[in-house]
Amino acid sequence: MRRWNRVVWVVGLAVAIGGNVVPAAAQDADDVDEVTERLQEGLPLTPTWTLSETFTEGSWISLDVSPDGETIVFDLLGDLYTMPFSGGSATPLTQGMAFDGQPRFSPDGQTVVFVSDRSGGDGIWTISVDGADTVRITSGENSAYQSPEWTPDGDYIVATRQNPGQGKLWMYHRRGGSGVQLIEDPANARTTGAAFGDDDRYIWYGRRTGTWVYNSPGRDYQLWVYDRETGEQSSRSGRYGGAFRPTLSPDGRWLVYGSRHVADTGLRIRDLTTGEERWLAFPVQRDEQESRAARDAYPGMSFTPDSREVVTFYGGRIWRVPVDGSAPIEIPFSVDVELPMGPQVNFEYPISDSPTFVAKQIRDLAPSPDGERMAFGLMGDVYIVDLPDGEPRRVDDGEAMSAMPAWSPDGERIVFSTYSDAEGGHLHTARNNGANVTRLTTEPGFYTQAVWAPDGNQVVAIRGPQRAYEEALTQGVPRGAVELVSVPASGGAATLLTAVSGLNRPHFVEGSDRIYATQGGTGLISMRWDGTDRREHVQVRGGAANGATGQGPTAST
């Protein structure tokens, strides 16, 4: 599967930046056979075509500057290249179908450590700068590795090893061996991006709890330091935008790391002598905090030997970024790629462009009290359909997004929520045939889960401020549910009933004048119309959802 994924990724990049894919059949057959024999290296996938192009841009390039400041090593399309520090034409250090990446120079500048799957699975490898000697450091094919780094004495390599569970920092001798795990606790924390400064006693790294999360708030990673003498770990950051890929200057004064501000990633620089920080470059390459960050949360970067510049990648190019805050300087590169590829993964799937289509996700189903009609939400609009086989009618033809319909007790009207950038959020009603749309609320907000009172004279809904939706960066609209309000069914100002405090799904019970709701998803409560006299009716206890093991849920009343 690793090889198939690579095919898709490389082809996508080639198309994006003007690459030219040359089929094997269009080349000299003897040349293809020679490439196959030399570069396949025992891999089970036989090359059938070749990516042939000159590239002056790339994506997610990890790099390092040699100790003498004369050479840059970097990865591109799964191969390693070297070039002069000033830029220019790159020389291949590794080639073939194996995916090689994340290179780092040894302290003496004679060897490069990198991650490769050339043996069939991820591993840590080293190669001499002249390409004469390649050594496999780790063993086995069932672990994933990221971000190898040399210890300052050049005798050991620190890298993140993942299998099983979370990735942890391990240390290996440069001649190989079983290695030793440096960090074990906490078990659910990932540790990656090892870096050294001027004191080899301390290892800087990025740490996160868990592996990944949808709609991350962007603070998953923070910087930590591991003391090689005591084994202690200590935190070195607490930024709201996270902190990852620590990179330290050789003189021990500067720390550069990645962080996020709202939707963009930037590089921060910290003066380790004073603790002061500022943005060094913003914005830069998008980070990988949300994902599993298989190649770390940010591409590898490097200080120059004089500690005056950081060499890093973003925007498809390589840059020298001075620590004094002056303008970045581009390091141009040119790479002649001849990359053997596996079988083309190319399937044709018909996509209909007809004016009508079958909807795949219908929400907020609401049958009318007499069972004759159904209201529902679809693609940001509310529809009503006569059962069993009527034609759906769109309720509101305006620009606002509409959702969450609910029927009046007599079945003559529905109430639903709307939201638009121009007007904010409101509650509207419509006749049971979708006509006579009327706005109920006078003040904009973020209204959800509207329901009619049993007498049909009031509508109860959950409300939050309009800004909650405007500023929401994560799923669920934080602070979008802070109040329970009532609105006259004929329209007018909303009346605050109570703070929500975890309430959800307000509803009514026949013959009762109380408002019922779920409490935090774990029970059923009720209250008077003024929010007082709260009573707990049902409490639900049990294991977590989504296939969690343990005792099933139980209910008590």
Side-chain angles (χ1 to χ4, degrees):
M1 180 61 70
R2 218 174 254 284
R3 300 300 184 282
W4 293 83
N5 288 340
R6 174 183 169 127
V7 169
V8 176
W9 173 67
V10 171
V11 171
L13 180 60
V15 171
I17 61 179
N20 177 33
V21 176
V22 181
Q27 302 179 29
D28 187 278
D30 293 336
D31 291 342
V32 174
D33 291 341
E34 181 180 352
V35 168
T36 300
E37 182 179 353
R38 179 169 56 89
L39 301 176
Q40 189 178 355
E41 298 182 357
L43 296 177
L45 196 61
T46 300
T48 61
W49 50 294
T50 299
L51 173 68
S52 178
E53 183 57 58
T54 297
F55 294 98
T56 57
E57 294 185 358
S59 62
W60 203 268
I61 293 177
S62 286
L63 58 85
D64 193 26
V65 178
S66 63
D68 61 8
E70 298 294 326
T71 306
I72 295 175
V73 62
F74 63 96
D75 56 21
L76 180 74
L77 297 178
D79 290 325
L80 305 184
Y81 296 87
T82 60
M83 70 175 178
F85 181 80
S86 59
S89 181
T91 301
L93 184 61
T94 67
Q95 286 184 298
M97 293 189 68
F99 195 96
D100 304 332
Q102 301 182 283
R104 306 299 286 185
F105 279 109
S106 61
D108 62 8
Q110 300 302 307
T111 307
V112 171
V113 65
F114 61 102
V115 176
S116 178
D117 64 358
R118 60 184 56 200
S119 64
D122 268 0
I124 303 296
W125 293 71
T126 63
I127 184 171
S128 57
V129 173
D130 61 8
D133 186 25
T134 305
V135 177
R136 183 178 183 180
I137 305 301
T138 57
S139 60
E141 314 299 346
N142 298 318
S143 296
Y145 295 89
Q146 299 96 34
S147 307
E149 179 61 285
W150 297 88
T151 56
D153 59 13
D155 290 334
Y156 294 90
I157 297 165
V158 179
T160 297
R161 174 183 174 182
Q162 185 173 346
N163 184 37
Q166 292 283 53
K168 300 292 187 183
L169 292 186
W170 283 65
M171 187 166 68
Y172 299 89
H173 194 273
R174 66 176 301 158
R175 295 183 179 177
S178 58
V180 58
Q181 184 172 344
L182 298 179
I183 296 176
E184 296 184 4
D185 297 320
N188 66 338
R190 183 187 188 204
T191 55
T192 188
F196 289 91
D198 62 339
D199 189 345
D200 63 359
R201 173 177 174 176
Y202 301 103
I203 303 176
W204 288 70
Y205 60 94
R207 172 172 136 177
R208 73 167 295 166
T209 301
T211 54
W212 65 281
V213 60
Y214 285 119
N215 301 305
S216 163
R219 58 177 178 268
D220 305 86
Y221 286 84
Q222 297 297 338
L223 300 184
W224 286 70
V225 166
Y226 173 78
D227 189 328
R228 295 173 66 188
E229 291 186 4
T230 66
E232 294 179 350
Q233 304 175 64
S234 54
S235 176
R236 290 294 186 270
S237 73
R239 281 191 60 80
Y240 59 88
F244 41 85
R245 254 310 185 179
T247 304
L248 295 105
S249 62
D251 63 7
R253 179 178 178 181
W254 303 106
L255 163 70
V256 171
Y257 65 92
S259 185
R260 191 181 299 181
H261 181 71
V262 188
D264 292 314
T265 304
L267 298 181
R268 301 279 296 176
I269 184 168
R270 179 187 301 177
D271 188 333
L272 294 176
T273 60
T274 65
E276 295 182 354
E277 279 197 13
R278 56 182 166 84
W279 289 108
L280 179 65
F282 185 91
V284 292
Q285 163 74 45
R286 173 74 174 189
D287 65 73
E288 284 254 62
Q289 287 192 84
E290 287 98 341
S291 78
R292 298 186 185 275
R295 299 172 68 192
D296 214 315
Y298 195 81
M301 49 190 165
S302 173
F303 269 91
T304 53
D306 61 10
S307 300
R308 294 181 178 179
E309 295 177 322
V310 175
V311 181
T312 186
F313 162 84
Y314 57 87
R317 303 177 183 275
I318 297 174
W319 302 88
R320 295 162 48 195
V321 185
V323 299
D324 63 8
S326 53
I329 304 166
E330 183 183 349
I331 302 177
F333 67 87
S334 175
V335 180
D336 295 327
V337 172
E338 292 289 336
L339 187 63
M341 306 291 290
Q344 218 169 355
V345 183
N346 183 20
F347 302 102
E348 293 185 0
Y349 295 96
I351 299 177
S352 174
D353 58 356
S354 61
T356 60
F357 55 90
V358 176
K360 299 297 179 64
Q361 189 178 71
I362 296 176
R363 292 186 163 193
D364 308 322
L365 291 174
S368 62
D370 60 8
E372 297 295 323
R373 296 181 176 89
M374 179 77 74
F376 59 89
L378 175 65
M379 298 178 67
D381 293 311
V382 170
Y383 291 82
I384 295 176
V385 61
D386 294 329
L387 299 178
D389 53 6
E391 187 74 18
R393 301 181 297 276
R394 183 181 172 188
V395 170
D396 185 11
D397 59 0
E399 296 297 324
M401 180 176 63
S402 305
M404 299 183 180
W407 290 91
S408 62
D410 60 9
E412 294 298 318
R413 291 185 293 171
I414 63 168
V415 63
F416 57 96
S417 301
T418 67
Y419 192 92
S420 70
D421 292 336
E423 297 185 356
H426 285 281
L427 294 178
H428 286 72
T429 62
R431 300 293 298 174
N432 58 16
N433 61 0
N436 302 113
V437 176
T438 304
R439 194 175 81 182
L440 294 186
T441 49
T442 58
E443 296 296 328
F446 183 67
Y447 296 89
T448 58
Q449 303 184 50
V451 62
W452 295 80
D455 60 9
N457 293 325
Q458 295 283 325
V459 171
V460 174
I462 291 176
R463 181 179 69 179
Q466 179 177 337
R467 70 175 184 279
Y469 187 84
E470 294 173 346
E471 299 173 356
L473 298 177
T474 61
Q475 185 179 9
V477 188
R479 292 192 56 78
V482 295
E483 299 170 336
L484 188 67
V485 299
S486 66
V487 182
S490 58
T495 300
L496 174 64
L497 303 180
T498 184
V500 170
S501 300
L503 299 183
N504 196 28
R505 298 181 60 83
H507 59 279
F508 295 89
V509 174
E510 185 177 356
S512 173
D513 60 355
R514 298 174 65 83
I515 302 173
Y516 288 77
T518 60
Q519 174 70 55
T522 60
L524 176 67
I525 61 101
S526 70
M527 70 187 81
R528 294 175 179 170
W529 274 80
D530 60 3
T532 63
D533 189 29
R534 290 200 184 191
R535 303 176 187 175
E536 185 179 83
H537 301 284
V538 175
Q539 190 177 86
V540 180
R541 303 185 184 93
N546 300 327
T549 58
Q551 183 178 355
T554 60
S556 60
T557 59

